[in-house]
């Protein structure tokens, strides 16, 4: 059995600490090996352990619930030998980055586990999609990680006034979130990012063409990730990263690189949405009704702020959209909430019908 000091020495660069050791103690007593999952594909995973990297089968810990499958970033207990070798247990996660799947079964998909920083890469080579940034940030906040927005390819915006305006737009979209500008090719801004991700585990997120692989290579100090050119027409690229890979950074910290995400569906992320739109949540406390939806209710402090020019219309529309989407995905998995929503829809429909009848009466 590997000594505890050897385990700490080997696994500390991957995030092992006293708390994980305590969680793992029962498995250690059974003679199992501690390790962190660095890659998962087709029911198997690559695990880094004190004795070196190994390949293990996840069949014993892959339940029907997709939220509990082994994923990159998990700490696991692995058999010391065997062919095939199996993962026997997965330690409780501290955080988990989850999005909804594209299936009609309302399932969540875990992209990364035990993450401290969620780095959202956004390319400055194309027009900013503030709504998509808000969507990424909602999932990041909900995961329990600290979001960071990194505006990549800053060298393609040579005019500093224009660059400052773009940064300001993102800062307004991301209250309470650090916003960094980086040029991986020129090396500008990397020192700040390296310092930020130098402790804990960071997951790198963004669309294809956002420059994630180039950024990952810059942080790693070597060309580990494949890089391909983005299309000039829309700045999008092919998936250069096809799996989620966990890598130890040379200056400290751990990085999980992910494939470009075309779809970023919310999955029970009401708290995260609230944090992204903190100013709207604060304004809502002044609404006359506690269940105000900021549509046409009297005494709505949020709409008053819009009318006064204190809150951009785009922010309110984005907030409504994400809240509706989140409510719908939750309702699809919650029968009680689904029934309440249908009741509310019928009530609103009846009110609308009554209002139309009243108007017709006045027209006659």
């Amino acid at each position: 059995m590997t000594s505890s000091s050897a385990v700490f020495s080997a696994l500390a660069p991957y995030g092992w600490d006293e708390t994980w050791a305590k969680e793992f103690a029962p498995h250690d007593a059974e003679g199992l090996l501690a390790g962190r999952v660095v890659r998962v594909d087709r029911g198997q995973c690559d695990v880094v352990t004190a004795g070196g990297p190994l390949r293990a089968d996840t069949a014993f810990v892959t339940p029907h619930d997709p939220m509990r499958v082994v994923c990159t970033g998990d700490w696991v207990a692995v058999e010391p030998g065997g062919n095939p070798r199996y993962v026997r247990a997965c330690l409780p996660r501290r955080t988990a980055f989850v999005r909804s799947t594209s299936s009609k079964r309302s399932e969540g998909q875990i992209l990364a586990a035990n993450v401290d920083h969620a780095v959202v890469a956004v390319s400055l080579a194309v027009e900013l999609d503030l709504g998509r940034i808000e969507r990424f940030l909602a999932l990041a906040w909900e995961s329990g990680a600290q979001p960071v927005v990194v505006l990549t390819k800053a060298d393609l915006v040579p005019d500093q006034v224009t660059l400052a305006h773009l940064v300001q737009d993102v800062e307004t979209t991301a209250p309470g979130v650090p916003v960094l500008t980086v040029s991986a090719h020129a090396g500008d801004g990397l020192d700040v990012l390296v310092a930020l991700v130098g402790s804990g585990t960071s997951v790198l997120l963004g669309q294809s063409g956002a420059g994630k692989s180039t950024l990952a290579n810059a942080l790693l100090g070597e060309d580990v990730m494949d890089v391909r050119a983005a299309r000039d027409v829309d700045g999008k690229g092919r998936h250069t990263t096809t799996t989620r890979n966990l890598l130890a950074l040379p200056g400290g910290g751990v990085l999980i690189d992910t494939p470009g995400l075309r779809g970023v569906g919310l999955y029970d992320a009401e708290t995260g949405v609230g944090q992204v739109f903190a100013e709207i949540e604060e304004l809502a406390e002044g609404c006359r009704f506690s269940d105000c939806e900021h549509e046409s209710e009297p005494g709505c402090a949020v709409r008053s702020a819009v009318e006064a020019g204190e809150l951009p219309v785009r922010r309110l529309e984005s907030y409504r959209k994400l809240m509706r989407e989140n409510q719908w995905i939750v309702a699809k998995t919650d029968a009680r909430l689904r029934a309440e929503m249908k009741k509310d829809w019928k009530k609103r429909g009846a009110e609308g019908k009554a209002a139309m009848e009243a108007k017709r009466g006045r027209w006659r």
Side-chain angles (χ1 to χ4, degrees):
M1 184 181 298
T2 308
S3 68
S4 59
S5 59
V7 172
F8 265 90
S9 176
L11 296 183
Y14 293 91
W16 186 258
D17 57 26
E18 293 284 356
T19 304
W20 287 121
K22 185 177 180 180
E23 291 276 3
F24 187 76
H27 306 296
D28 184 46
E30 295 176 4
L32 299 176
L33 301 177
R36 193 165 194 192
V37 177
V38 299
R39 188 170 181 261
V40 178
D41 64 282
R42 299 180 182 179
Q44 293 191 315
C45 61
D46 295 327
V47 183
V48 60
T49 71
L54 54 82
R55 186 81 165 162
D57 196 300
T58 64
F60 278 101
V61 288
T62 302
H64 295 297
D65 181 358
M67 294 286 285
R68 296 175 59 197
V69 299
V70 173
C71 77
T72 303
D74 272 327
W75 285 99
V76 294
V78 188
E79 292 177 339
N83 186 20
R85 190 191 304 255
Y86 290 97
V87 173
R88 287 293 177 176
C90 182
L91 299 188
R93 294 165 177 149
R94 294 178 183 175
T95 62
F97 193 94
V98 183
R99 69 168 177 176
S100 65
T101 65
S102 57
S103 71
K104 297 180 180 180
R105 293 178 293 180
S106 309
E107 295 175 343
Q109 178 191 17
I110 296 183
L111 300 181
N114 302 311
V115 172
D116 301 292
H117 306 286
V119 181
V120 180
V122 179
S123 173
L124 289 173
V126 294
E127 184 178 354
L128 290 176
D129 186 342
L130 299 179
R132 179 168 286 271
I133 294 174
E134 289 163 341
R135 183 177 290 273
F136 270 113
L137 292 176
L139 294 176
W141 280 122
E142 191 68 33
S143 76
Q146 166 65 52
V148 182
V149 176
V150 176
L151 301 178
T152 65
K153 308 181 183 181
D155 53 300
L156 299 181
V157 188
D159 182 68
Q160 293 303 302
V161 174
T162 301
L163 182 61
H165 283 305
L166 292 172
V167 172
Q168 185 177 24
D169 286 343
V170 177
E171 288 177 337
T172 302
T173 299
V177 176
V179 178
L180 311 178
T181 56
V182 168
S183 170
H185 287 297
D188 297 335
L190 284 174
D191 53 341
V192 178
L193 181 59
V194 168
L196 193 148
V197 302
S199 62
T201 298
S202 302
V203 62
L204 190 53
L205 306 158
Q207 288 181 285
S208 297
K212 296 190 307 302
S213 294
T214 301
L215 188 59
N217 286 336
L219 292 172
L220 290 162
E222 56 182 316
D223 292 341
V224 175
M225 311 308 297
D226 184 26
V227 177
R228 298 176 188 169
R231 297 190 303 236
D232 291 334
V233 64
D234 56 10
K236 294 181 180 180
R238 290 175 292 173
H239 293 316
T240 54
T241 302
T242 56
T243 59
R244 287 173 281 281
N245 303 283
L246 184 147
L247 302 156
L249 297 173
V254 177
L255 181 70
I256 298 176
D257 191 21
T258 65
L261 300 175
R262 291 191 179 93
V264 195
L266 300 184
Y267 187 81
D268 196 4
E270 183 176 354
T271 300
V273 174
Q275 285 182 272
V276 174
F277 299 93
E279 79 278 31
I280 295 179
E281 297 271 299
E282 185 175 349
L283 285 167
E285 294 178 3
C287 292
R288 182 183 301 178
F289 303 108
S290 59
D291 60 348
C292 183
E293 296 189 355
H294 322 305
E295 296 282 358
S296 58
E297 300 88 344
C300 176
V302 174
R303 286 191 300 105
S304 294
V306 172
E307 293 166 3
E310 299 168 357
L311 177 67
V313 174
R314 190 206 67 79
R315 283 284 282 174
L316 178 56
E317 290 176 346
S318 184
Y319 172 75
R320 286 170 176 161
K321 179 181 179 180
L322 293 184
M323 288 297 282
R324 283 195 299 266
E325 178 183 328
N326 189 72
Q327 189 179 29
W328 174 243
I329 194 68
V330 172
K332 288 172 74 176
T333 57
D334 188 323
R336 180 186 58 79
L337 182 58
R338 185 165 61 248
E340 290 179 357
M341 285 184 64
K342 287 184 177 179
K343 182 179 179 181
D344 184 55
W345 292 339
K346 288 181 179 180
K347 179 182 177 182
R348 288 176 179 275
E351 290 174 349
K353 184 177 180 180
M356 286 300 297
E357 290 295 338
K359 286 183 180 180
R360 287 171 182 166
R362 289 197 296 270
W363 293 337
R364 290 180 183 140

